[in-house]
């Protein structure tokens, strides 16, 4: 039985994994070489931002970077619940959920004919593609290019949503799981293009800790003891180990820019996940309610002081 | 070297060149499809030549620095079985794990070459492995130097002006 499983892994999943890994860089190559330009327009009925009206400055712009399930401009089912919950609780925010963290060309997988075919037959491959994109984003050779591509995508979507450079309005990058790799990577490009006060909030963040986040004001790390996926990221990426003192992550830790918030007993995914509306806490709130409350409290605490438009950027 | 082995070496060179394409093209922002293809083709020939020189270099090194016994078995050369794993050289492009997997591949192929060198040069396996490793590292460093030089020249080249 074990032999059969190994053979299946070797000859079944192995070649798919290898092909996907080799193809995963093509999009970045096409972006870098200038063979294709990133998509900027959204489909009809997908707004550039939701929440606070565009006719007056919001308290902050919140960009939600989803986990590996992201494959279209619209929110995923789980991410959509979180965004909806945030919008309901904090109407002063302008929220963007359309950013494609796993596509340097901002081209959703759901819009690609081959992937539509694959989705009907091997849905798992879609997740695999996005996992590989996280690997590309974390790879020393491709990371600067990937960071520039997605950072530029976020900056473009913020501009289309009404953000003005040097306006001083804070931008919050809320990232779930692998979205944290992209969020930390986007900091430099966002600073370069928008000069915005920038906050990061990671929810079960999976990232390699190599990116320089010195231009971010703070990073709030929402985690839980039962989140083994986040913990795996801390184990497998040496830049997250205290030994590598000069990694972007450890420099941020020494600068006092990281605050950990425990959301026990939540898990990374599943019925007891951070964004589960079913799992209940002793105080009667769901995990989703608690996560949304925590995110909003952090934004109001940290961003409120700089949300006035006349405040100069940090 | 048989024609079949030569074709395998060329395909291995192509595989290696594809694996190295993105980091190179990344330094040549704005490169056209045609130029990218030519870079891969040129890289395929260079990498194939480097692979072809590997056993010869290791054998020459063994002859030069180690007391070898005369075995009369001729020179060390690639066989299809020895060279075939190099067709997987494109694994270098695998994100994050690529360089490590590529290193494992090269160690595996090098171990095969060392085993083949033992009877040819009449030396011990570890001595043969040392020669194969030094020859491989030397060739690798040399071709990497050329690769970086080409990238640097392409990056800093000023636009041509016509009087």
């Amino acid at each position: 039985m074990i032999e059969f499983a190994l053979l299946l892994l070797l000859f079944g999943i192995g070649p798919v994994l290898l092909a996907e890994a080799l193809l995963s860089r093509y999009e970045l190559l096409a972006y870098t070489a200038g063979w294709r330009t990133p998509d900027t327009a959204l489909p009809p009925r997908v707004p550039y931002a939701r929440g606070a009206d565009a006719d007056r400055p919001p308290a902050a712009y919140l960009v939600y970077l989803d986990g590996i399930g992201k494959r279209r401009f619209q929110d995923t089912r789980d991410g959509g619940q979180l965004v909806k919950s945030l919008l309901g609780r904090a109407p002063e925010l302008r929220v963007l959920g359309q950013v494609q963290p796993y596509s340097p060309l901002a081209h959703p997988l759901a819009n690609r004919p081959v992937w539509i075919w694959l989705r009907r037959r091997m849905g798992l491959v879609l997740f695999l593609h996005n996992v590989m994109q996280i690997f590309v984003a974390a790879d020393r050779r491709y990371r600067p290019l990937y960071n520039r591509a997605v950072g530029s995508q976020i900056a473009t979507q913020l501009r289309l949503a009404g953000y003005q450079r040097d306006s001083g309005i804070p931008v919050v990058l809320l990232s779930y799981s692998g979205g944290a790799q992209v969020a930390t990577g986007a900091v430099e490009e966002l600073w370069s293009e928008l000069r915005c006060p920038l906050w990061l909030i990671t929810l079960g963040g999976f990232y390699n800790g190599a990116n320089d986040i010195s231009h971010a004001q703070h990073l709030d790390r929402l985690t839980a003891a039962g989140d083994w996926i986040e913990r795996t990221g801390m184990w497998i990426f040496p830049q997250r180990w205290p030994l590598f003192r000069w990694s972007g992550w450890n420099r941020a830790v020494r600068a006092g820019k990281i605050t950990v918030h425990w959301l026990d007993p939540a898990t990374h995914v599943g019925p007891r996940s951070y964004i589960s509306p079913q799992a209940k806490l002793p105080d009667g709130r769901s995990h989703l309610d608690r996560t949304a409350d925590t995110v909003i409290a952090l934004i109001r605490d940290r961003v409120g002081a700089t949300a006035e438009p006349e405040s100069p950027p940090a | 070297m048989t024609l079949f082995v030569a074709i395998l070496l060329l395909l291995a060179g192509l595989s290696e060149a594809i694996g190295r394409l993105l980091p190179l093209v990344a330094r040549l922002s704005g490169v056209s499809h045609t130029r990218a293809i030519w870079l891969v083709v040129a890289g395929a020939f260079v990498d194939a030549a480097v692979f072809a020189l590997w056993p010869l270099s290791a054998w020459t090194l063994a002859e030069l620095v180690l007391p070898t016994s005369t075995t009369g078995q001729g020179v060390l050369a690639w066989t299809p079985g020895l060279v075939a794993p190099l067709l997987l050289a494109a694994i270098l492009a695998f994100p994050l794990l690529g360089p490590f997997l590529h290193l494992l591949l090269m160690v595996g192929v090098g171990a095969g070459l060392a085993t083949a060198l033992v009877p040819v040069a009449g030396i011990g396996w570890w001595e043969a492995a040392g020669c194969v490793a030094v020859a491989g590292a030397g060739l690798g460093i040399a071709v990497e130097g050329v690769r970086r030089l080409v990238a640097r020249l392409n990056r800093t080249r000023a636009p041509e002006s016509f009087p």
Side-chain angles (χ1 to χ4, degrees):
Chain A
M1 187 64 193
I2 294 172
E3 288 84 356
F4 176 74
L6 279 174
L7 281 175
L8 184 70
L9 187 72
L10 197 63
F11 295 105
I13 301 169
V16 174
L17 196 69
L18 188 61
E20 174 51 43
L22 294 176
L23 288 172
S24 64
R25 305 159 315 123
Y26 177 76
E27 194 175 337
L28 186 60
L29 171 65
Y31 169 83
T32 308
W35 296 341
R36 286 180 57 196
T37 50
D39 297 333
T40 53
L42 298 179
R45 288 183 294 180
V46 177
Y48 285 102
R50 287 165 286 173
D53 290 336
D55 53 0
R56 62 190 178 91
Y61 282 78
L62 175 69
V63 180
Y64 177 64
L65 298 163
D66 210 346
I68 57 168
K70 183 77 171 175
R71 57 173 186 260
R72 50 171 58 91
F73 286 115
Q74 290 89 346
D75 295 315
T76 58
R77 187 185 56 194
D78 289 348
Q81 286 178 327
L82 179 59
V83 168
K84 196 174 167 185
S85 191
L86 292 169
L87 284 167
R89 286 169 164 81
E92 74 273 23
L93 301 176
R94 273 179 82 67
V95 181
L96 289 75
Q98 70 269 30
V99 172
Q100 302 297 310
Y102 312 108
S103 169
L105 290 168
H107 189 43
L109 276 182
N111 292 0
R112 306 179 196 185
V114 173
W115 290 99
I116 292 169
W117 185 89
L118 280 173
R119 191 180 69 216
R120 294 192 184 124
R121 288 156 182 86
M122 291 188 288
L124 190 65
V125 179
L126 298 169
F127 292 100
L128 187 63
H129 173 87
N130 287 349
V131 170
M132 283 299 166
Q133 291 298 313
I134 296 173
F135 276 34
V136 174
D139 189 305
R140 181 177 58 85
R141 299 166 295 175
Y142 314 132
R143 195 172 60 238
L145 309 168
Y146 200 98
N147 289 347
R148 196 195 315 155
V150 182
S152 181
Q153 182 194 156
I154 297 172
T156 301
Q157 291 300 320
L158 278 166
R159 282 196 202 94
L160 290 169
Y163 194 89
Q164 294 182 352
R165 181 189 161 107
D166 287 327
S167 65
I169 299 177
V171 172
V172 181
L173 299 182
L174 170 63
S175 54
Y176 171 53
S177 192
Q181 176 65 47
V182 180
T184 54
V187 169
E188 279 298 296
E189 185 66 22
L190 276 175
W191 172 255
S192 159
E193 290 198 30
L194 301 179
R195 298 281 170 195
C196 50
L198 197 56
W199 269 262
L200 302 176
I201 301 175
T202 65
L203 181 59
F206 184 88
Y207 49 105
N208 72 344
N211 291 314
D212 178 14
I213 56 169
S214 55
H215 281 127
Q217 309 279 338
H218 205 85
L219 186 150
D220 287 293
R221 179 182 152 219
L222 310 189
T223 186
D227 184 348
W228 62 270
I229 292 179
E230 201 217 21
R231 208 75 68 242
T232 302
M234 296 184 72
W235 291 334
I236 66 171
F237 294 122
Q239 292 94 338
R240 298 285 299 275
W241 305 346
L243 184 68
F244 287 76
R245 287 179 55 78
W246 294 105
S247 69
W249 173 255
N250 284 320
R251 276 185 284 139
V253 169
R254 281 202 303 281
K257 286 194 171 188
I258 315 290
T259 305
V260 183
H261 306 269
W262 294 95
L263 298 183
D264 292 317
T267 56
H268 194 89
V269 289
R272 293 196 302 122
S273 79
Y274 298 111
I275 39 186
S276 166
Q278 283 88 34
K280 298 289 181 188
L281 296 163
D283 63 7
R285 289 184 302 166
S286 68
H287 285 192
L288 174 66
D289 293 334
R290 192 249 316 255
T291 301
D293 287 343
T294 307
V295 168
I296 289 165
L298 287 170
I299 293 173
R300 286 178 176 158
D301 282 354
R302 298 196 183 283
V303 172
T306 58
E308 294 301 322
E310 59 272 19
S311 300
Chain B
M1 183 188 296
T2 65
L3 180 65
F4 183 56
V5 168
I7 291 170
L8 280 181
L9 279 172
L10 195 57
L11 290 175
L14 181 66
S15 180
E16 178 84 10
I18 288 171
R20 294 186 182 277
L21 176 65
L22 182 57
L24 178 63
V25 172
R27 300 187 190 110
L28 303 173
S29 187
V31 69
S32 66
H33 281 86
T34 311
R35 192 160 170 226
I37 289 168
W38 275 114
L39 282 170
V40 171
V41 171
F45 278 100
V46 172
D47 286 321
V50 170
F51 286 147
L53 286 171
W54 192 4
L56 189 64
S57 308
W59 179 69
T60 307
L61 194 65
E63 294 275 293
L64 285 174
V65 300
L66 293 171
T68 57
S69 59
T70 307
T71 59
Q73 290 200 24
V75 296
L76 176 64
W78 285 112
T79 60
L82 281 175
V83 78
L86 288 177
L87 296 176
L88 293 173
I91 205 167
L92 178 62
F94 199 105
L96 206 59
L97 302 175
F100 175 68
L101 296 174
H102 187 261
L103 179 67
L104 284 185
L105 176 69
M106 291 300 160
V107 168
V109 173
L113 266 186
T115 305
L117 181 60
V118 170
V120 172
I123 55 177
W125 192 89
W126 285 106
E127 292 166 318
C131 291
V132 168
V134 170
L139 287 167
I141 290 168
V143 77
E144 185 61 25
V146 172
R147 206 173 273 124
R148 283 172 188 254
L149 183 66
V150 169
R152 189 182 178 88
L153 289 174
N154 276 281
R155 192 173 57 222
T156 57
R157 189 174 58 191
E160 292 178 18
S161 59
F162 298 94

